[in-house]
Amino acid sequence: MSDDALFDFLHSEIVNYVLERNQSQNKDAKDEDLSNIEYIGFSTGYRMIERLTKEMPRFKDELETMKFICTDFWSAIYKKQIDNLRTNHQGVYVLQDNAFKFLTRLSSGKQYLEVAPRYVSFTCGIIRGSLANLNINCLVTAEVQNMPSCKFHIQVQRT
Amino acid sequence: MNGTIDIGLVVDRRPLITCAGELEVFSSIEDNLAQALPQDSCEWRRSMGRPIRNVHIGANFTPYSSKALPKGTQWDLIRQPLFHIYWTECTDVDIYKSTLRDDIDGWLKELNAKDITDWLVVVVENYDGKRTNKLLPRTTVLDKIRADFAPKQGDRCISVINPGKLESRSADSWRGLVSRIRHLLLVSYAKAVARLEDYVRQQRERRNEIGWNFMQYFQLQEELAQVLEMLGLNDEALVQYDELDALLSQFVANGITSECVNWLGEFQKPLERWHGLKLGPSSLSKTPSILELRAYLYAKQAQMLLLTNKVWEMASRCLPFLHTCTRELAILEIKAPPGAVACWLFLASMEVLQTCDKFNHADEVEEYSLHTACLWEYASQKLKYLGDLCGLMPGGEPTSDQLHTVVGLSAGMGDNPGPANSPSPTDKLKSALIHQDVFNKTYLELAELAMGTYKHIGRLRSARLVGREVASFYMSLGQHQKSAAFLGDLLRTFEQDGWQELAAQTHLELAECYKKAGDVGKLIRSCASVSSAHEIDNIIRWTYFDEMTRHAESLDKSLAVPFENIVKIVSVNVLNDENVIMLDTKVHVELVLESNLPRELVCEKVDMSLEAVENKETSKSNEKYCKGRSLSSKDLKPRDPMLQRLKIQRNLDYKQDKQLASAGIVSKFTELRRKDSTQQVCSSEFAHALEANKLPLRLSPGLNVIRLSKLADETGKFYLGQVALHVGKLAFVSATLPHRLAIEVKEEKPTLQLNKRTPTLISGVEQLMNIILTVGSHPIDPKSTIKLTSSRGLSFQIGADRPLATTLEFEVGAKPAYSSSRYALRVLADMLGKEHHVTVAAPWAAKPTAVTLNFTPPLTAAWRLHSARHRKWVQVSLTGQCEQGLTVREAKLDVAGVCEVDGKNASSSHLIPNGMTFSFMWELLIKPGADSPTIKAEFSVSYKLDEDSEERPYRYFFDINDYQTLYLLDADVEPAKGSEFCRVGAVCQLRLAIAQTRASRERSLMYEVLAEQSVWAVCGRTAGVVGFDGSELERPQTVALDVMPLASGHLPLPLVRISKYIPAEAGNDKHGKGDTHPRLEPFSPGQVYNASKGKQIHVITPVSDGHPT
Amino acid sequence: MVIMSRSTSKFDTKKVNSELVTLTYGALVAQMVKDLENTDDVSKQLERLGYNMGIRLIEDFLAKTNTGRCFDLKDTADKIQTAFKMYLGVQPNVSNWSAAGDEFSFILDSNPLTDLVELPDDLKSLKYCNLICGAIRGALEMVQLDVQSWIVQDQLKGDQNTEIRVKFIRRLEDAMPAGEE
Amino acid sequence: MAVCVAIIGKDNSPKFFACLNPDEELSFQYKVLSSLDVVEEKLSAGNKAGSDLRELYLGMLYSLETHKIYGYVTNTKIKFIIIVDSTNMVLRDNEIRSMFRKIHSEYADIVSNPFYTPGEQICSKPFLNNIRNIMTGTV
């Protein structure tokens, strides 16, 4: 596929599909239920990572894995790297993408902030799925303050 | 003379040094020299950029003989004298010139002839006393020798002070000599080694040529190895042996492909000896068998490894090595008596293990345990094999052939006795092959060691698998319990890792084991598991199924077997519409089971336990669990948390100013833990349980839908607990269901209500009330009666006809559940009390309950006495109390004939609305002056609430006392003399006139002027006492007081009050003690008539011209 | 810690992209199957999704290839063929023209959308790659071509190759907006 | 030519098992199971030692008189086990390694099937065939 237009369109169709379905089941619109978008991302990521890590040496540790997610993995999917990765070295990682692909299309600033969550859920899923398959059990959430910048919070579950 | 580290060195590879010249000189220092040489290490520089190594080199000395001289370029120089020393102690130059020089010259010529360049001339100097005082000669012999023979290489000539004498001075020169020899020797030795290496290389190149022979080559390269070993380069020596190892393997692997490798044929002769490895010092026979060759090679490698402290590597190389050997035996098709190879392998592994123990350093145990574990296992396997072969296995008896085999094998092992306290592997094996019990002991010992070591290094699975072998061994030993224990562990491991097929197999073995052990309970259990394992062949499954059912019948006490894989709960559904179920109604549950049993199972009973929920739990769990109406397989099988769907929601954060600060997503999901699937069985007991509707239940293979139900006969909250299938005394019991499905059983008690029909109850009137009886969740016994008891003054009755009573009983009668019926209760309360009680006793209520009824009278009355001089009036006013106004008529006032009464408005009838007051007036026609006995007055009136209700009387009783007028009081205000008007601010006169109308006991009374302050100012006294002697009645006493009006207009006169005045002294006749103060006593309303009431005086404003008054 | 931005991936982005779409699409279909109990509904939904994508893809396509209007159906077929190459990275053959020339097929011998898919038995009737049909319909509607498109052969059903049929219905008026079906 | 290929899940339970000779399957299962000990050993050792065990291919896990057992662990903790006849001199380390690579990519494809739930038994016919071909070296 020469370019990722198809992926973009597919992604926004997924968002539409899930939201329409929510409506049809009249879930409350206030705190939108994005579970299904996230899960579609999850199973995509879970399978994707199986393919991507085929040729790769074994990861040394969690941090190395995260770095991989931020660099090679991210640029494979979003054609750019995560701009900033922070961690407290206790299983919390914050990935910041200053121009997150699915938000760049929305006009930046605050006006579309309310709909932003729809466009980050899939990616949260991708991250969670990939890490899950790499045996890092975690919770992934996202926060958008001013678009198109987005922060992804990864919380590793130590159990 | 021997080197330092020659353990097991077969050939002494130390270089030979020849000694020429004055040998006696040499012999005096030979020993010192031989020892000194290897003491210090010396740098060995080699060609081809190989690393510089520090080596120790020793030497053997032989007298010089020209015939023994080798050619300086021979490849095997290593075996020849390769360094040559000329010794002399001549110090006299003249003697040197005369004889010595020629001798040395000859020696050197011979060396050169063989182009040998490695030589040294040593001049030993002996100092003794007589020489010391002499001056040293200008040139010494040494100088001469140098000049003559070694003008360029000065280091070829050296002088040394004889160490035998004067140690101190000689030490340095001695050290010099030794290191010189060491150095030069090494240089020449290095050359020799290099040549040898070249030669070896050449030989290897020719390895594919016809006639090339491995053994020859072997010896050649080993020589190199030995040299390196001698130099203490064990690692490099090892490399040589490894190369040989690899080369041999290569050849054998390729097999005899061409005649170039005919030499391999040498090895193909049948095996005669299987001595094991013979670790440690060993030598190789000229024509070794492949095993011997291999053994020797390994022994050598082992030795090098031990010398370099690599015990673990020796161990690690062992198993692969043994595998290679067996494989090569196979490839070379070497014939060997049965068991021979096994013996050899056993011995080999045991020897290695023993050596490991010997060299066991605490810090290395870990490392080599990694490799010994599998060796122990291997040894045990080999032994077991031999046991089978020689009929040593438990339960068996060796046949004569087998005994023969044993003899043969023992012979082939050779003798290798160990010290008494620790028998050698050979000893062990021999006795094991002879005595069955020793065999058993040894085998179990080895297996235990294998398991132990495996566990130690954390290879649990491997340990368990050894355990499997052991289990079967114990089986044949008839020790089924032990066997079962091992199999149990094995099974657990398989199940933990989820290896169903292996688990199934183990169940099979366990079943056999329990059968032998006669443990019916466990046997049934494993039969069930086997027969429900799809991995196992159907015929087998059937037989075990039958076995199970057969034994189930013979059970004498009940047995519970967990569901596990035998039966699976697919889904559970509560069929009732609500989770709240009324007492005495049926709970219906649909249960879908999947039976993995191969045949139909007939269950006499199927039930599902109900677990009562502790209240504290319900409070919180209500929300969480009880919503669920059904469990599906999804809920039942533990999900992989890694694949969980999460609840993801949008999350918007607003600032104070309601502006959207950030938007994101959050997960409402909290724990990602894996919920433990293992639940204890038979925890709940089946006291309250749902039961299958159709029994016996035929549980067929595959899916089964089962309807369970139970009459809810106890209130409370229950979880659906466990499922149990009963087959005779055998019960298959499921794990406890996740506490998601709860049923709540409730009951509703009947109730009895007593309801007013009207907002207020009125006493004195019969009214209707409602008794409402509501039957609860289950009907009441029709015979049961309800009893009402009333408090005093209250009476009631059901039904119009029967008379009112104070107690009342009535039967409930047949009433369906939840029906409610209404009874009309007539009530009548007298007017005495406002509050009345009804006590209700119902059979379902523990104790009777009292209901309070508040009644209000229909109307209230009040009375007043009015006077005019001597005439008297009574006013009775009625106030209505019921919302619908009541009508009154026939008001009567009965004064008990004290006097006549004249009703003013009594005759007519009146409507008195609620809260309104209506008054009746009567004049008491009494004679003035007559005394006034108390009048017992009774007011009566008849009222009715509305037209159709009949009239009832209302009575009101009151007493009238002191109603005769005793005093007439009058007052007037007059302007001061000379003015005809009262003016504001001008003093006027208040004239009081008090007249006594009849003689009375009171002699004196007091008057008080109670003037309105804002209107009147009383000047001077405001009160006084007037006395009456009772002589002249009706003649008033007058008093004048000064008062001043403060306002203009028609003013009411100041109010004057008179009271009885009882002087102080006059008191004692009343009470016993004297009264020091005078007292006032008020008159009762009727006794004083004040005529000035209502009088007014016109007061005008003061005159404008201030003319005095 | 901060990462220096090196935006070249060690992966073959083309390949990754194609796999990403394939997997994402798969996940979506799986979700739909979970949501809608009826398989035909899923197929319909997929077609609708494809349609929505089609009406957006066409702009992207025209912009990138800066081609104009299609003259005739043949031309259209060729353009779609390039679109296939462009978006799915596979070049289908255009064939099986109907006599009337108003119907033709795309024949794909491999289809990235389905290459890694195996339909479970209970979904044999699922038209997994109906998305494509929808996309074609949607895209053409934007250039005023009303067509039908459906799957004739499907590798997922064990056919040799996947054949997608396109049937020309009518030319739409320019005025007519592209609305939902 | 490999005599047995096994795929073991994250949870150490077998997800796929193929043997040239079905009769041997059971005995191979025992071998594969015990090889898991070594796999775990190597992995944990790898963690300790760090870089030395970064390669997915673990090499020979252990050898028996009759067989050699090789291991490979994906980044996602899926274990592939190959059993080879010890008489087989043809298969050197590199052949084994490339076999594993092929198996890995086959596995990755299976996982990519949206209708396959990771962690379930793999019972896809085409997959089985592909693995067989890899075993027999026909690919």
Side-chain angles (χ1 to χ4, degrees), chain D residues 33-83:
Chain D
L33 181 78
S34 55
S35 76
L36 293 181
D37 281 337
V38 190
V39 170
E40 283 172 1
E41 212 166 82
K42 282 181 179 280
L43 287 184
S44 58
N47 295 351
K48 278 193 239 89
S51 61
D52 66 344
L53 220 120
R54 302 291 297 283
E55 197 192 346
L56 303 184
Y57 174 54
L58 300 183
M60 184 165 85
L61 300 177
Y62 70 102
S63 69
L64 302 166
E65 275 173 12
T66 49
H67 296 98
K68 296 208 201 73
I69 290 120
Y70 297 85
Y72 181 103
V73 179
T74 70
N75 267 299
T76 59
K77 293 281 177 298
I78 304 297
K79 295 124 196 140
F80 303 142
I81 306 291
I82 291 182
I83 302 185

Side-chain angles (χ1 to χ4, degrees), chain B residues 271 284 291 352 419 624 798 935 965 991 997 1013 1058 1061 1083:
Chain B
L271 207 58
L284 190 58
L291 281 191
V352 171
K624 284 229 299 293
I798 303 184
I935 298 173
T965 308
R991 303 181 150 280
T997 60
Q1013 255 96 7
I1058 57 174
Y1061 181 82
F1083 289 101

Side-chain angles (χ1 to χ4, degrees), chain A residues 58-86:
Chain A
R58 192 163 281 112
F59 292 112
K60 222 169 50 262
D61 52 19
E62 197 174 275
L63 183 56
E64 194 184 282
T65 315
M66 292 300 171
K67 284 183 181 161
F68 165 74
I69 294 289
C70 296
T71 55
D72 300 315
F73 183 77
W74 209 260
S75 39
I77 298 179
Y78 297 114
K79 311 290 169 292
K80 80 182 279 302
Q81 291 193 331
I82 280 292
D83 298 292
N84 184 326
L85 165 64
R86 288 204 172 73

Side-chain angles (χ1 to χ4, degrees), chain B residues 253 323 326-327 345 370 378 382 457-462 465 468 494 497-499 501-502 505 509 643, chain D residues 8 11-14 17 25-26 29-30 32-34 36-38 40-41 63-65 86-87 89 118:
Chain B
H323 291 334
T326 40
R327 200 160 56 249
L345 293 168
L370 275 180
Y378 189 75
K382 290 302 154 197
I457 58 173
R459 293 196 185 177
L460 205 59
R461 299 178 184 84
S462 314
L465 288 172
R468 184 161 170 265
F494 290 154
D497 285 342
W499 288 63
E501 192 161 354
L502 298 187
Q505 288 304 325
E509 289 157 16
L643 296 177
Chain D
I8 312 300
D11 60 351
N12 285 337
S13 73
F17 216 94
E25 169 154 348
L26 198 59
Q29 285 207 15
Y30 288 112
V32 172
L33 181 78
S34 55
L36 293 181
D37 281 337
V38 190
E40 283 172 1
E41 212 166 82
S63 69
L64 302 166
E65 275 173 12
S86 55
T87 55
M89 293 291 149

Side-chain angles (χ1 to χ4, degrees), chain C residues 80 93 120 137 175:
Chain C
I80 297 178
N93 300 350
R137 186 168 66 84

Side-chain angles (χ1 to χ4, degrees), chain B residues 412-436:
Chain B
M413 280 181 239
D415 295 317
N416 178 14
N421 55 352
S422 72
S424 72
T426 322
D427 307 336
K428 276 197 183 138
L429 183 52
K430 280 182 174 170
S431 58
L433 290 183
I434 296 160
H435 313 290
Q436 201 163 28

Side-chain angles (χ1 to χ4, degrees), chain A residues 11-127:
Chain A
H11 174 265
S12 47
E13 280 312 313
I14 287 174
V15 174
N16 294 342
Y17 165 74
V18 171
L19 292 182
E20 278 173 27
R21 177 141 182 89
N22 284 356
Q23 266 177 358
S24 71
Q25 296 186 319
N26 46 51
K27 298 201 180 146
D28 72 333
K30 203 181 103 295
D31 33 22
E32 249 170 9
D33 180 355
L34 303 169
S35 311
N36 288 348
I37 302 181
E38 196 263 0
Y39 194 75
I40 291 174
F42 175 87
S43 51
T44 307
Y46 194 100
R47 294 173 154 86
M48 195 70 195
I49 205 70
E50 194 73 61
R51 307 187 72 80
L52 288 182
T53 58
K54 243 189 313 186
E55 307 302 320
M56 289 183 56
R58 192 163 281 112
F59 292 112
K60 222 169 50 262
D61 52 19
E62 197 174 275
L63 183 56
E64 194 184 282
T65 315
M66 292 300 171
K67 284 183 181 161
F68 165 74
I69 294 289
C70 296
T71 55
D72 300 315
F73 183 77
W74 209 260
S75 39
I77 298 179
Y78 297 114
K79 311 290 169 292
K80 80 182 279 302
Q81 291 193 331
I82 280 292
D83 298 292
N84 184 326
L85 165 64
R86 288 204 172 73
T87 177
N88 64 353
H89 297 286
Q90 263 132 44
V92 176
Y93 300 82
V94 180
L95 285 59
Q96 182 169 343
D97 187 333
N98 293 337
F100 179 56
K101 181 168 170 190
F102 293 136
L103 293 182
T104 44
R105 202 162 287 86
L106 304 175
S107 74
S108 58
K110 290 228 179 276
Q111 77 199 95
Y112 288 111
L113 202 46
E114 284 179 3
V115 298
R118 301 170 180 177
Y119 297 96
V120 300
S121 308
F122 177 84
T123 307
C124 288
I126 285 227
I127 300 174

